[in-house]
């Protein structure tokens, strides 16, 4: 979405190093297009050769509700009610309950079934922070953290309804 602003043209490629996090050296799984691998998400075509994820799930239909998930795609920044807590961009692992920065077992999430992996995220107001991402490993809220808002006490929200 920002390639043309950054002077990049044509299809995305692993040569687009602007979108490569230095910590992006592995991913636990990618059930969409490639088998489990210990390689960079930036080198994976499924991730559009980017280490980062933009909050855009408000464009994706939610089959459980008949509506859409949360996100900020297509919205004016001035329309975001809580820009200090609303994520704009995050390390891709924030969406999948793990971290490049503090790797840990996905099968041992810890107390209260929360993984609390820490990831770098950028907020609508422009600040960046290294924060805990909530994961409900019971599956009661859905599969991946990016599909549901965290409970009270976390420093972020994925989008606004």
């Amino acid at each position: 979405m920002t390639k043309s602003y950054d002077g990049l043209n044509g299809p995305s490629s692993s040569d687009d190093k602007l979108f490569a996090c230095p910590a992006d050296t592995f991913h636990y799984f990618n059930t969409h297009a490639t088998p489990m691998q210990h390689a960079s998400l930036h080198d994976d075509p499924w991730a559009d050769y980017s280490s980062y994820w933009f909050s855009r799930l408000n464009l994706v239909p939610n089959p459980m509700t008949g509506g859409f998930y949360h996100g900020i795609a297509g919205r004016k920044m001035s329309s975001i009610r809580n820009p200090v807590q609303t994520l704009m961009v995050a390390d891709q692992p924030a969406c999948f309950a793990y971290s490049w920065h503090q790797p840990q077992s996905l099968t041992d999430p810890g107390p209260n079934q929360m993984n609390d992996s820490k990831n770098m995220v950028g907020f609508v107001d422009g600040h960046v922070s290294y924060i805990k991402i909530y994961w409900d490993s019971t599956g009661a809220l859905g599969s991946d953290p990016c599909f549901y808002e965290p409970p009270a006490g976390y420093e972020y929200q994925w989008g606004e309804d």
Side-chain angles (χ1 to χ4, degrees):
M1 295 179 76
T2 66
K3 286 177 53 175
S4 63
Y5 294 107
D6 301 319
L8 300 171
N9 298 307
S12 297
S13 123
S14 59
D15 293 331
D16 299 340
K17 298 299 182 193
L18 177 64
F19 305 109
C21 176
D24 179 2
T25 58
F26 70 93
H27 63 96
Y28 286 118
F29 55 89
N30 180 345
T31 59
H32 300 281
T34 58
M36 179 182 213
Q37 57 183 282
H38 298 282
S40 165
L41 271 172
H42 177 263
D43 291 327
D44 192 328
W46 173 85
D48 197 29
Y49 303 104
S50 178
S51 300
Y52 309 104
W53 178 86
F54 175 71
S55 180
R56 57 156 184 73
L57 287 178
N58 58 313
L59 304 178
V60 178
N62 180 341
M64 296 182 73
T65 66
F68 292 85
Y69 292 103
H70 43 262
I72 62 168
R75 295 190 59 183
K76 292 184 179 192
M77 290 175 59
S78 61
S79 75
I80 306 295
R81 292 183 307 274
N82 190 359
V84 174
Q85 283 199 288
T86 303
L87 292 180
M88 183 180 315
V89 67
D91 287 339
Q92 286 232 27
C95 301
F96 306 113
Y98 76 93
S99 174
W100 296 315
H101 309 286
Q102 291 184 326
Q104 58 184 300
S105 170
L106 291 178
T107 59
D108 183 19
N112 302 318
Q113 300 299 308
M114 292 188 284
N115 178 284
D116 282 340
S117 62
K118 290 184 85 172
N119 285 279
M120 292 299 299
V121 298
F123 294 87
V124 172
D125 75 341
H127 84 278
V128 175
S129 191
Y130 181 58
I131 63 169
K132 291 180 181 181
I133 302 294
Y134 175 74
W135 178 47
D136 170 36
S137 67
T138 67
L141 297 174
S143 56
D144 297 319
C146 58
F147 289 108
Y148 48 83
E149 295 292 5
Y154 283 78
E155 299 175 47
Y156 70 96
Q157 60 188 35
W158 290 102
E160 294 183 329
D161 295 329

